[in-house]
Amino acid sequence: MQNLRIPGPTPCPEEVLIAMGQQMINHRGPEMAAIMKEVAEKLKYFFQTKNDVLVLTGSGTGGLEAAAVNFLSPGETVLSVSIGVFGERFAKIASIFGAKIIALNFEHGKAADPALVKKALAEHPEIKAVLVTHNETSTGITNDLKSLASVVKGAGKLLMVDAISSLSSIDLPVDEWGCDVVVSGSQKGWMVPPGLAFISVSPDAWKAHAESKMPRFYWDLAKHKASIEKGQTPWTPCVSVIVALHKALIMMEKEGMQNIFKRHQKIADFTRKGVKELGLTLLAEEKYASNTVTAVLATEGLDPKKLLKVMREEYNTVLAGGQGPLEGKIFRIGHLGWVTENDIKVTLDNLKLALPKAGFRS
Amino acid sequence: MQNLRIPGPTPCPEEVLIAMGQQMINHRGPEMAAIMKEVAEKLKYFFQTKNDVLVLTGSGTGGLEAAAVNFLSPGETVLSVSIGVFGERFAKIASIFGAKIIALNFEHGKAADPALVKKALAEHPEIKAVLVTHNETSTGITNDLKSLASVVKGAGKLLMVDAISSLSSIDLPVDEWGCDVVVSGSQKGWMVPPGLAFISVSPDAWKAHAESKMPRFYWDLAKHKASIEKGQTPWTPCVSVIVALHKALIMMEKEGMQNIFKRHQKIADFTRKGVKELGLTLLAEEKYASNTVTAVLATEGLDPKKLLKVMREEYNTVLAGGQGPLEGKIFRIGHLGWVTENDIKVTLDNLKLALPKAGFRS
């Protein structure tokens, strides 16, 4: 079997794949309603929230668009706290739909500094909402969201979080930290294929929704809220991924949320240690290094594109390259969702053999 | 096995379900690119077009939103030719994003009259585009799209077609009829689960796209066009449904496009004949009766909600109810995609037994 070590889509357990292959059911029938209601409850558990958690058929980027268009009006000011490609994408979407963006961009490979966020909020009292990435997939950095949230909520602003590649793998107590809108995506820590985005909405966010004037239809969360209470979605959903997610959530409950976080921590530590032992250098300062994806610098003559090719063709292992300004400068190892330490051990063993073939002089 | 006789999601063949259960692959890797390129070519074949056909992760309604937001600017005038719930939805989306709608609404259960479309176009030279439903799922009516298209293109307007529940089941030669934008959905005639929408874009539509000012990001078709040329999508797609679609398209090619149309025609004729033999009345005038879904009037004391319940609980057969103004007044039988005459024979046999239990006095 291919060792798929990219930060999503992630490999799926056998039980999930069996669920994916189940025959279609009526998306407005009682079987689906029972599944949807359980899925919604279990999602709330993993979001650690009493807020509504809605299920959208779309990519994670669709979830970000839903976050952008449901709570803002054209002309309103938004602070974008960005540490990479996906932070910039979130801001771009809000901007296209008419928000004024104040961009607080940190260098790709660094975490956001809460003190600078505080400063920006003080300088711009007109800011209505703040966009923050919890885990930046393109750089393998996890922001100190607890501190960032404290600053944003201390200033009374709406906090919108891209947690696509963190939620369910890395601790994110949505209610405790006061996150108003939080987006995740099925193909990341949830152990199911892509096709769904999840979004939690706080009471304050619903108030903003009622006043928001950005145009929306497909992503209109009020429609999704009205439907999920009947165990439905307003439009025909990606039934198979919902059925698969139901299975995955049961497996995740059995493992235990804290155990899942610990497993990701342990495997990420193992990955970072192994990478360094190979003579490679991590992009991230270890304090902010992500527990779901590790970005490795292309040092000592390493050609990361060549490395990906060799790893795939000779070692049946799929790694990810760099994006945006980091293209050609890093490679990335995904370790989220259905992953064991052994998956990484095999990856590291193969990396050791592949590195010299890709120009690396250790 | 449940006899799922709703107009989508439709049952999937075993080969498609096996494909749905395949392990994840890299959505930016060579395996996926090979599949995507073949899927795009085969979709063009079934769309009978040389235009681009793009693959979106979303519901059919997402496809309609993509059609609405990619080719128009706020303030532009659009003629909505609607014969039911889905026609109204298409207009609603365009309206929300700022189009001025001239609504030409036909009674639910009737087809659109090309002469009235011609009249509306003559009266309103400011009309830029026309929204038309090919097959209205809510009423089981297939419009005479060839005549409608001839009127619209004769007036030099952009023609946008909702063919979600017709394309691949009912003949729709996109290029021959001059349809600029055509939307379909995976869970209909394509024999795969929901999760994907397909949209074809003519050169004239691309010209309109270049000038269009409606806000869009997730549905921006220029991004999809740039990606599909590399065998990718701009955002992580619903990989499983694409892999399943690849299988389904191969099966459809083997059966032959014209044979698929004939099969749908034959099964629809069989359905209509059988329904009438039970003493029931069709909603549609037979000339416009859809070959993918049959709407049946709740006459002679029939309670359609009760009928759906009895059919599901006692006969393991799932039918659909009415929507909008037809709720409680009709029931619907889906016969599209992976369907045989025997599926309908069983449905009719069970209907005969269930009807008296639901109040029907034959």
Side-chain angles (χ1 to χ4, degrees):
Chain A
M1 202 180 82
Q2 202 179 49
N3 189 9
L4 185 63
R5 298 266 56 91
I6 59 174
T10 59
C12 304
E14 189 64 24
E15 296 91 320
V16 166
L17 294 177
I18 290 168
M20 283 297 294
Q22 279 182 24
Q23 188 50 281
M24 278 303 98
I25 53 175
N26 181 5
H27 63 303
R28 306 233 178 269
E31 302 96 331
M32 190 70 196
I35 290 171
M36 274 299 290
K37 283 178 183 174
E38 280 193 35
V39 161
E41 278 313 302
K42 290 178 201 297
L43 284 173
K44 280 188 189 189
Y45 171 74
F46 283 100
F47 272 70
Q48 304 181 56
T49 189
K50 293 195 169 101
N51 295 340
D52 298 300
V53 181
L54 306 167
V55 177
L56 314 175
T57 292
S59 314
T61 297
L64 295 183
E65 183 160 308
V69 302
N70 272 279
F71 308 105
L72 301 167
S73 296
E76 284 182 335
T77 304
V78 166
L79 177 66
S80 157
V81 180
S82 172
I83 61 169
V85 167
F86 290 97
E88 284 158 23
R89 182 179 292 179
F90 202 177
K92 172 89 177 175
I93 298 169
S95 162
I96 279 177
F97 283 85
K100 281 188 204 162
I101 305 294
I102 296 176
L104 188 56
N105 291 338
F106 294 88
E107 195 188 330
H108 288 218
K110 303 287 178 200
D113 180 350
L116 292 179
V117 174
K118 192 169 187 172
K119 187 163 165 278
L121 289 172
E123 283 170 5
H124 298 281
E126 73 276 21
I127 287 169
K128 170 166 179 168
V130 181
L131 313 181
V132 177
T133 316
H134 184 207
N135 187 76
E136 173 60 53
T137 318
S138 71
T139 61
I141 301 284
T142 306
N143 268 322
D144 175 5
L145 183 59
K146 187 180 181 177
S147 299
L148 293 165
S150 162
V151 164
V152 172
K153 296 313 293 177
K157 310 299 181 185
L158 210 63
L159 174 58
M160 306 207 202
V161 180
D162 169 357
I164 291 174
S165 62
S166 60
L167 218 155
S168 79
S169 307
I170 301 173
D171 194 20
L172 200 183
V174 166
D175 287 357
E176 190 187 321
W177 292 355
C179 304
D180 292 297
V181 177
V182 180
V183 178
S184 191
S186 58
Q187 78 277 20
K188 306 291 185 178
W190 306 92
M191 309 196 297
V192 295
L196 298 176
F198 316 126
I199 185 163
S200 71
V201 183
S202 74
D204 280 354
W206 282 123
K207 273 180 215 156
H209 180 278
E211 290 163 12
S212 151
K213 288 189 177 60
M214 280 188 186
R216 56 182 172 254
F217 186 85
Y218 185 77
W219 305 118
D220 189 338
L221 297 178
K223 293 188 173 71
H224 286 267
K225 182 173 162 60
S227 286
I228 210 162
E229 284 162 7
K230 299 181 284 178
Q232 295 187 10
T233 51
W235 336 118
T236 311
C238 192
V239 170
S240 312
V241 182
I242 293 176
V243 172
L245 177 65
H246 184 243
K247 279 279 176 258
L249 287 166
I250 291 169
M251 292 176 69
M252 289 166 68
E253 281 180 338
K254 268 192 197 154
E255 183 175 358
M257 183 161 55
Q258 295 303 325
N259 290 335
I260 294 173
F261 298 154
K262 277 181 212 155
R263 174 167 56 87
H264 280 82
Q265 173 77 59
K266 194 161 163 264
I267 290 173
D269 285 341
F270 181 78
T271 308
R272 292 186 281 261
K273 186 166 163 284
V275 161
K276 286 186 291 182
E277 281 171 4
L278 290 171
L280 291 159
T281 309
L282 301 174
L283 171 67
E285 202 186 325
E286 293 232 15
K287 190 178 166 189
Y288 299 108
S290 166
N291 284 346
T292 62
V293 52
T294 293
V296 184
L297 289 167
T299 52
E300 312 297 327
L302 177 64
D303 174 351
K305 276 198 183 157
K306 182 80 192 289
L307 179 69
L308 265 55
K309 190 174 152 71
V310 171
M311 283 293 278
R312 183 169 51 75
E313 292 179 356
E314 297 183 30
Y315 301 98
N316 209 18
T317 300
V318 183
L319 303 176
Q323 293 171 295
L326 291 172
E327 197 182 335
K329 295 184 179 167
I330 61 167
F331 70 90
R332 293 175 298 151
I333 306 169
H335 36 78
L336 71 169
W338 191 51
V339 58
T340 64
E341 202 166 277
N342 193 55
D343 295 328
I344 300 300
K345 190 181 175 307
V346 171
T347 306
L348 293 166
D349 289 350
N350 288 331
L351 258 183
K352 189 173 185 172
L353 301 172
L355 280 166
K357 301 183 185 179
F360 185 67
R361 300 172 298 264
S362 63
Chain B
M1 203 181 80
Q2 202 179 50
N3 189 7
L4 185 63
R5 299 265 56 90
I6 60 175
T10 58
C12 303
E14 189 64 22
E15 296 90 321
V16 166
L17 295 176
I18 289 168
M20 283 298 293
Q22 278 182 24
Q23 187 51 279
M24 278 303 99
I25 54 174
N26 181 6
H27 64 302
R28 305 233 179 266
E31 301 96 332
M32 190 72 195
I35 291 172
M36 274 299 289
K37 283 178 184 175
E38 280 193 35
V39 162
E41 278 312 304
K42 290 177 200 299
L43 284 173
K44 280 187 190 188
Y45 172 74
F46 284 100
F47 272 69
Q48 304 182 55
T49 188
K50 293 197 169 99
N51 295 340
D52 298 299
V53 181
L54 306 167
V55 177
L56 314 175
T57 291
S59 313
T61 298
L64 296 183
E65 184 160 309
V69 302
N70 272 280
F71 309 105
L72 302 167
S73 296
E76 285 182 335
T77 304
V78 166
L79 177 66
S80 158
V81 180
S82 172
I83 60 169
V85 167
F86 290 96
E88 285 158 23
R89 182 180 291 179
F90 201 0
K92 173 88 176 174
I93 298 169
S95 162
I96 279 177
F97 282 85
K100 282 189 205 161
I101 305 294
I102 296 176
L104 188 58
N105 291 338
F106 295 87
E107 195 187 332
H108 287 216
K110 302 286 178 201
D113 180 348
L116 292 179
V117 174
K118 191 168 188 173
K119 187 164 167 276
L121 289 172
E123 281 170 5
H124 298 280
E126 73 276 22
I127 287 169
K128 172 168 178 165
V130 181
L131 313 181
V132 177
T133 316
H134 184 206
N135 186 75
E136 174 59 53
T137 319
S138 72
T139 61
I141 301 285
T142 306
N143 269 323
D144 175 4
L145 183 60
K146 186 180 181 178
S147 300
L148 293 166
S150 161
V151 164
V152 173
K153 295 315 292 177
K157 310 299 180 184
L158 210 62
L159 175 59
M160 305 209 202
V161 180
D162 169 355
I164 291 174
S165 62
S166 59
L167 217 154
S168 79
S169 307
I170 300 174
D171 194 19
L172 200 184
V174 167
D175 287 357
E176 190 187 322
W177 292 355
C179 303
D180 292 298
V181 177
V182 180
V183 178
S184 191
S186 58
Q187 78 278 18
K188 306 291 185 177
W190 305 92
M191 310 197 296
V192 296
L196 298 176
F198 316 125
I199 185 164
S200 71
V201 183
S202 74
D204 280 353
W206 282 122
K207 274 180 213 154
H209 180 279
E211 289 162 14
S212 150
K213 288 189 177 57
M214 281 191 185
R216 57 185 171 251
F217 187 84
Y218 185 77
W219 305 119
D220 189 337
L221 296 178
K223 292 186 174 74
H224 283 82
K225 180 172 162 62
S227 286
I228 209 163
E229 284 162 8
K230 298 181 286 178
Q232 295 187 10
T233 52
W235 337 118
T236 311
C238 193
V239 170
S240 312
V241 182
I242 293 176
V243 172
L245 176 66
H246 184 242
K247 279 277 177 256
L249 287 166
I250 291 169
M251 291 175 69
M252 289 166 69
E253 282 179 336
K254 268 190 199 155
E255 184 176 356
M257 185 161 56
Q258 295 302 327
N259 291 335
I260 295 173
F261 298 154
K262 279 182 211 155
R263 173 167 57 86
H264 280 83
Q265 174 75 59
K266 194 162 164 262
I267 291 173
D269 285 341
F270 181 77
T271 309
R272 291 187 281 261
K273 185 166 164 280
V275 161
K276 286 186 290 182
E277 281 172 4
L278 290 171
L280 291 160
T281 308
L282 301 174
L283 171 67
E285 201 187 324
E286 293 233 17
K287 191 178 163 190
Y288 299 108
S290 166
N291 284 346
T292 61
V293 53
T294 293
V296 184
L297 288 167
T299 52
E300 312 297 327
L302 177 64
D303 175 351
K305 274 197 184 157
K306 182 81 190 291
L307 179 70
L308 264 55
K309 191 174 151 70
V310 171
M311 283 292 278
R312 184 169 49 74
E313 292 180 356
E314 298 182 33
Y315 301 98
N316 208 20
T317 300
V318 183
L319 303 176
Q323 291 170 297
L326 292 173
E327 197 180 336
K329 296 186 180 166
I330 59 166
F331 71 90
R332 292 175 297 151
I333 306 170
H335 35 80
L336 71 168
W338 191 51
V339 58
T340 64
E341 202 167 277
N342 193 54
D343 294 329
I344 299 300
K345 190 181 176 309
V346 172
T347 306
L348 292 167
D349 288 351
N350 288 332
L351 258 182
K352 189 172 186 172
L353 301 171
L355 280 166
K357 300 183 186 179
F360 184 68
R361 301 173 297 266
S362 62

